[in-house]
Amino acid sequence: MNRSILALTAAAAFIGLAPVALAGEPQPWAFSFQHGVSPTMERIASLATFINGVIVVITLLVSGLLLYACTRFRADRNPKPATWSHNTPLEIVWTAIPAVILLLIAIPSFRLLYFMDKVQDADMTLKIVGHQWYWSYEYPDHDVRFDSNMVQAEDLKPGQPRLLTADNALVVPVGVPIRLQMTADDVIHSWSVPAFGVKTDTVPGRLNETWVQVDKPGDYHGQCSQLCGVNHGFMPIHVKAVPKEEFTAWLAQAKTKFARIDGTRPGTSVALATRGEDRP
């Protein structure tokens, strides 16, 4: 009896904590989006739920009408086929109803696109540069810049996801609107973090802009989502969202950790400086 109660308690605790602890990474057999932690992702999930509801209603309606037509107008019940060819009121109705449905979907869709595109009074700016095959992050307001490379499988610590963990995570404060400016120095990449609802191409010679506000602390993961070469699958995005006080403390350490080293470009970490320009 005690074992059963203990097992049920543990299962309940796991179910309750799993969405929070595992929100920032993909899960086996996942059925829906990753748990959203930004206003953008919450709106994306809400719109997707609404559209899926519309799809279900349409599917049930069409299936019901099809079943009715197959039953009501089958050959043994209608040995002599009807001779009419069209019905003007019916044609108006089945043209008007889909138009209304499209408007019901289009209006919230355009509102979401505008919300995603317009930077919401950003308190800080982050510059993201895609390379073959790693990311560079720059905090222009704080004079910090560093590279972020994938941690190899043999160097992973317990609990770190394979192919998604980076040696230098992008650290951001919780609850702060952040302007994201993205570009690339070689080919097109795509900076994508599902929990944020952000997926923006980084294009050489072009500066793309979007924004994000992470509302819950934690580690969040993404990957390059634009086929960019042989190591496309080995340039993860690792974001660590922390409270504002912790972010301020990290900035003070980062200005020392990522300081200029003789023979390297500004912002290159000590680990990269000692092993040269080799990439995974």
Side-chain angles (χ1 to χ4, degrees):
M1 182 66 178
N2 292 336
R3 290 183 178 180
S4 300
I5 294 176
L6 182 62
L8 290 174
T9 303
F14 177 79
I15 293 172
L17 293 176
V20 177
L22 303 177
E25 61 188 76
Q27 299 302 311
W29 301 100
F31 184 75
S32 185
F33 298 119
Q34 291 185 27
H35 180 68
V37 294
S38 73
T40 299
M41 189 59 207
E42 290 177 357
R43 294 190 180 210
I44 291 174
S46 177
L47 178 61
T49 301
F50 169 70
I51 293 177
N52 285 334
V54 172
I55 292 172
V56 169
V57 171
I58 293 174
T59 301
L60 292 176
L61 176 62
V62 173
S63 298
L65 291 174
L66 183 61
L67 180 62
Y68 171 77
C70 291
T71 304
R72 174 67 179 79
F73 301 105
R74 65 179 187 268
D76 59 344
R77 294 188 61 178
N78 297 271
K80 184 178 180 180
T83 57
W84 49 268
S85 59
H86 69 277
N87 185 306
T88 300
L90 183 59
E91 291 179 0
I92 292 175
V93 168
W94 70 36
T95 301
I97 291 178
V100 171
I101 293 174
L102 289 176
L103 283 176
L104 290 176
I105 295 175
I107 292 173
S109 297
F110 283 119
R111 292 180 63 185
L112 175 59
L113 287 173
Y114 180 78
F115 180 80
M116 295 169 63
D117 184 65
K118 185 177 182 297
V119 178
Q120 308 293 315
D121 299 324
D123 291 341
M124 64 177 291
T125 299
L126 281 175
K127 187 174 181 180
I128 301 169
V129 182
H131 310 269
Q132 289 181 312
W133 289 270
Y134 64 101
W135 299 98
S136 291
Y137 299 114
E138 182 176 349
Y139 299 71
D141 304 328
H142 305 285
D143 195 26
V144 172
R145 182 185 185 279
F146 58 87
D147 297 337
S148 181
N149 288 267
M150 186 187 76
V151 174
Q152 301 300 319
E154 61 271 15
D155 299 324
L156 289 173
K157 298 178 181 178
Q160 291 183 329
R162 187 179 70 90
L163 300 180
L164 294 175
T165 304
D167 55 357
N168 295 314
L170 175 65
V171 182
V172 298
V174 170
V176 174
I178 303 171
R179 177 184 290 105
L180 302 177
Q181 295 181 336
M182 306 184 191
T183 188
D185 72 347
D186 37 47
V187 299
I188 299 176
H189 303 276
S190 184
W191 200 84
S192 174
V193 182
F196 298 167
V198 175
K199 183 181 182 296
T200 303
D201 285 352
T202 65
V203 183
R206 177 172 178 173
L207 194 66
N208 286 338
E209 185 173 278
T210 185
W211 73 284
V212 69
Q213 176 181 310
V214 187
D215 291 330
K216 295 181 181 179
D219 284 69
Y220 303 98
H221 301 273
Q223 289 180 305
C224 175
S225 297
Q226 188 71 263
L227 187 60
C228 59
V230 64
N231 284 331
H232 160 69
F234 304 99
M235 51 182 302
I237 300 162
H238 184 178
V239 182
K240 184 182 292 292
V242 298
K244 295 180 182 179
E245 299 78 10
E246 189 174 337
F247 175 74
T248 302
W250 175 85
L251 271 179
Q253 296 177 357
K255 290 181 179 180
T256 301
K257 178 180 179 182
F258 302 116
R260 183 180 180 89
I261 302 172
D262 291 340
T264 66
R265 59 183 181 275
T268 303
S269 66
V270 175
L272 287 177
T274 57
R275 67 184 178 125
E277 294 299 321
D278 295 337
R279 307 296 176 196

